[in-house]
Amino acid sequence: MSSSAGPSLPHRAVSSIRAGDRSSTQALPTTPHTPPRTIVPTTFGSPSTLRADDEVIIIEPGSRKLRIGFAGDAAPKKVLSFGPEQQRRAGDFRAWDVGYQTDWRKRASGKPWGADHELWQLDVRGQDLALIADKLERELRDAFTKYLLIDSRPRRITLVLPPTLPIPLISSTFDTLFNRFQVPSISLFSSPVMSAMAAGTRSALVIDLGWYETTVTAVYEYREVHSWRTIRAGKLLVEETYEFLTSAIRGRPSTARTERTEDKLEDDAVSFEECEEFATRMLWCKRPAREPTQDATEGLPTLHEQDETETIAPAEDHSPMAITLNSCNPPKRVEIPFAQLADPCEAVFFEPHLSPCCFDDHEVPVHLLAYRALLQLPLDVRAICMSRIIFTGGCSNIIGLKGRIFDEVSLLAKERGWDPVTGKGVDQYKTNIKLRRNGNRQSTEGPTPVTIRVENGNAEGGETAPPANPAHAPPEIDHVEEMIQKDRNYKPVVQGKLRVVDSLGPWCGASMATQLKIPALATVDRELWLQQGINGACRPNEVDIKAQQRQSMGAGGLIRGQASQASSSWTLGVWGSI
């Protein structure tokens, strides 16, 4: 046969076989190459990528301290304090100069007393919000690199804030976290609610003895009912400690409180650091003048073993305590009786020498404020909250202060009861028999007594038994219900009596709530904040809560609400809106 039938077809290259004969397909390079492989990071990658998505940082900022750590931990990684040393720049070695510690008057001049030791003030008038943002950023960067040991990858943050924090300070905090740390979202939790959760209760009366003010917040079923506050807190205690030490140095009591900062920078003045250290380590609180009566118990009282050696009560102990004050020029040594060390706490938190009518609404003593808070609550909320009183804050660590406040509230409840109407007219009405007989019957006496007639076959008529009050009659016993409760290990709810409950603090409560994926009071996304700012916050009743509760599981275990992505409505919760 002839081989010239037609030109032979060229051999197909391997590249053409792989790429195909389609003209639309681009030919791959003929040089040898390694085909790319798509490696799934969830299977072969480092587990740190997953941890970065799941890690949530819990931050509790305050006026004096900052608590920071990871969600799920039992305690914060670090508790940072604000002070003058934080404001030093790199290469500033003045702290090692001779006489730097004694030259504190020059550094403190021109500023309010103790302003270098505070992050912010609740009175935002005249404050530099940019300086507050810089202080917060520097403290957070030091905490991330030194104590949390994490990189700059964006992580979700949960803030634990008091309900009375002003909106400008919240806005400054949000700007710092969103713009300088690229945080994807911020969740907000309330401090009193988290304190109740850390105590294992759903309802409580949280008394926060803070720095600028003392707040009393009623929490019922994880919701804040109302909040009351007073200025009798840590800052007023430190100022009273300064007056106390100044009187001890000069040997005479001061006639008026020192208000000007220049007067606190004299040679015989005490520095802010030393006043705070003295208040933390030396002050204590007396017991009330009248001890609350104990409820009578059935049977003989229990005899507790006691030391037979004679001891002196702390309030009667006048042994001198030698104290050296190094911040004075020159340093001085004073001797103060031990019993007088309780005077600053007595004057700041209780003020027993003045009548309650002498105080304004913002300076009510702490025990009277707690009693009024319980008195203004509804009956069912009061019955639950009075059995779950929680003390938090830095001033709660003073020896004897929590017990003194509780005893004073118990005395007020026993003397006045839960009647909001008080005064001489009410006392005269209760003691005057004629007024009570002519007037209407008090509602506290209960229902009308019922006369019970007992039939007797031997007697001609019925005998009349003494009248019985149906309100005091014991309920009938339900044996079936008792068996069900016994099988379920049911315990009755404690209510109606005053009781103190210990708490691990708001940071621990927020750590547990975030680890359990409990929805926050408010969640703000970074994109919405950059677009709208603080002015975009809506009122809580203008946000569809049910739509936000429809959630889906995203990549890396991140829960995101479908409705919140489609809608731009967000709120700050109990912190309100502009």
Side-chain angles (χ1 to χ4, degrees):
M1 293 180 62
S2 175
S3 61
S4 62
S8 59
L9 298 174
H11 294 286
R12 300 179 63 184
V14 178
S15 61
S16 63
I17 295 176
R18 290 180 178 176
D21 294 335
R22 292 173 297 179
S23 60
S24 60
T25 306
Q26 297 180 359
L28 296 177
T30 57
T31 56
H33 67 282
T34 302
R37 291 189 306 168
T38 303
I39 300 178
V40 181
T42 58
T43 307
F44 303 100
S46 174
S48 61
T49 307
L50 292 177
R51 288 199 301 266
D53 295 335
D54 293 337
E55 282 177 346
V56 181
I57 300 176
I58 311 297
I59 301 176
E60 183 190 355
S63 300
R64 297 291 312 282
K65 295 183 179 181
L66 177 73
R67 292 176 174 85
I68 188 170
F70 294 108
D73 293 349
K77 291 291 184 182
K78 183 63 177 179
V79 180
L80 303 171
S81 300
F82 296 95
E85 299 299 327
Q86 178 205 15
Q87 304 176 16
R88 291 194 301 115
R89 297 182 179 181
D92 187 359
F93 301 105
R94 289 180 298 172
W96 286 268
D97 291 344
V98 178
Y100 177 81
Q101 298 296 334
T102 59
D103 195 17
W104 60 269
R105 294 173 178 83
K106 182 178 180 181
R107 299 189 300 270
S109 61
K111 294 177 288 186
W113 194 61
D116 293 338
H117 299 266
E118 301 170 350
L119 174 61
W120 56 46
Q121 298 178 5
L122 296 184
D123 186 4
V124 297
R125 294 174 297 180
Q127 284 201 69
D128 189 357
L129 297 181
L131 179 59
I132 294 176
D134 293 340
K135 287 183 179 180
L136 184 61
E137 179 191 6
R138 183 166 186 175
E139 203 69 28
L140 288 177
R141 291 195 184 277
D142 291 344
F144 288 166
T145 56
K146 293 181 181 179
Y147 307 106
L148 299 187
L149 303 179
I150 57 177
D151 54 7
S152 59
R153 187 189 304 271
R155 288 172 172 81
R156 291 181 297 159
I157 285 181
T158 297
L159 289 179
V160 187
L161 302 176
T164 58
L165 191 66
I167 292 182
L169 298 181
I170 298 178
S171 176
S172 179
T173 304
F174 276 34
D175 288 336
T176 303
L177 295 176
F178 281 133
N179 296 327
R180 305 183 186 183
F181 294 93
Q182 310 299 321
V183 176
S185 64
I186 297 177
S187 301
L188 296 179
F189 281 111
S190 178
S191 298
V193 178
M194 293 299 101
S195 297
M197 175 173 286
T201 62
R202 303 169 63 92
S203 307
L205 185 74
V206 183
I207 303 176
D208 186 4
L209 302 168
W211 172 248
Y212 271 107
E213 60 185 12
T214 296
T215 58
V216 179
T217 307
V219 178
Y220 185 72
E221 294 296 331
Y222 294 137
R223 291 181 177 88
E224 294 182 14
V225 179
H226 196 68
S227 181
W228 300 264
R229 48 184 167 178
T230 178
I231 62 172
R232 299 183 178 274
K235 185 174 183 179
L236 189 61
L237 179 63
V238 174
E239 292 179 355
E240 185 67 25
T241 304
Y242 173 83
E243 301 293 339
F244 178 75
L245 293 178
T246 303
S247 302
I249 293 173
R250 298 176 181 177
R252 63 181 186 277
S254 57
T255 56
R257 184 181 295 273
T258 305
E259 299 292 343
R260 297 196 312 166
T261 307
E262 293 79 4
D263 297 337
K264 296 181 180 180
L265 301 179
E266 298 176 355
D267 291 340
D268 58 347
V270 187
S271 64
F272 179 85
E273 296 87 348
E274 197 159 21
C275 283
E276 184 183 18
E277 183 181 5
F278 181 86
T280 304
R281 302 177 61 181
M282 300 297 295
L283 296 186
W284 61 283
C285 187
K286 297 179 181 179
R287 298 188 63 85
R290 296 172 298 163
E291 294 291 337
T293 57
Q294 302 291 336
D295 296 336
T297 56
E298 297 181 359
L300 297 176
T302 304
L303 180 61
H304 300 280
E305 295 184 0
Q306 298 179 356
D307 190 4
E308 296 182 357
T309 59
E310 296 183 359
T311 57
I312 302 176
E316 300 177 357
D317 188 3
H318 296 281
S319 56
M321 307 293 295
I323 300 171
T324 303
L325 303 176
N326 296 319
S327 59
C328 297
N329 189 16
K332 297 183 180 180
R333 184 182 181 89
V334 295
E335 292 186 355
I336 302 175
F338 179 78
Q340 293 184 8
L341 295 177
D343 293 344
C345 287
E346 192 83 8
V348 170
F349 295 104
F350 303 102
E351 202 71 46
H353 305 293
L354 297 179
S355 175
C357 62
C358 300
F359 304 109
D360 291 336
D361 293 339
H362 68 284
E363 57 180 10
V364 180
V366 177
H367 66 287
L368 189 59
L369 184 68
Y371 172 74
R372 291 180 179 178
L374 289 173
L375 194 61
Q376 296 177 15
L377 292 176
L379 185 61
D380 53 344
V381 180
R382 182 201 307 159
I384 295 294
C385 291
M386 67 185 299
S387 300
R388 295 158 182 83
I389 301 177
I390 298 175
F391 291 94
T392 60
C395 293
S396 62
N397 297 324
I398 298 177
I399 298 175
L401 182 58
K402 295 187 290 186
R404 172 67 182 277
I405 296 176
F406 179 77
D407 292 342
E408 293 287 353
V409 174
S410 302
L411 286 172
L412 289 175
K414 189 173 184 61
E415 293 176 357
R416 304 181 185 180
W418 302 109
D419 189 3
V421 182
T422 58
K424 295 182 178 179
V426 178
D427 297 338
Q428 292 177 1
Y429 180 79
K430 291 180 179 179
T431 56
N432 196 330
I433 302 176
K434 295 182 179 180
L435 293 177
R436 291 178 59 87
R437 183 172 55 190
N438 296 333
N440 296 329
R441 190 173 55 86
Q442 294 288 324
S443 60
T444 56
E445 295 178 1
T448 306
V450 178
T451 303
I452 303 176
R453 300 181 63 86
V454 180
E455 296 183 358
N456 191 353
N458 299 332
E460 296 180 356
E463 295 182 358
T464 303
N469 194 340
H472 300 159
E476 296 182 359
I477 300 176
D478 190 352
H479 299 284
V480 178
E481 188 70 21
E482 285 186 353
M483 293 297 297
I484 295 175
Q485 294 178 359
K486 185 177 180 181
D487 294 339
R488 295 180 179 179
N489 195 17
Y490 172 78
K491 296 181 180 180
V493 179
V494 180
Q495 61 180 2
K497 62 179 182 180
L498 293 170
R499 187 184 62 166
V500 176
V501 179
D502 291 333
S503 175
L504 296 177
W507 191 96
C508 297
S511 174
M512 180 173 57
T514 306
Q515 184 71 12
L516 297 177
K517 306 293 183 182
I518 296 177
L521 288 177
T523 302
V524 184
D525 292 334
R526 182 173 182 270
E527 292 77 9
L528 294 178
W529 180 267
L530 295 180
Q531 293 175 4
Q532 304 172 3
I534 193 65
N535 296 322
C538 303
R539 297 183 184 273
N541 55 1
E542 297 177 359
V543 180
D544 189 0
I545 303 299
K546 293 185 179 180
Q548 288 187 350
Q549 289 177 353
R550 303 188 188 102
Q551 296 175 344
S552 60
M553 185 68 68
L558 182 62
I559 295 180
R560 295 185 179 271
Q562 296 177 351
S564 62
Q565 295 177 0
S567 175
S568 61
S569 298
W570 57 278
T571 177
L572 291 178
V574 297
W575 291 270
S577 60
I578 297 180

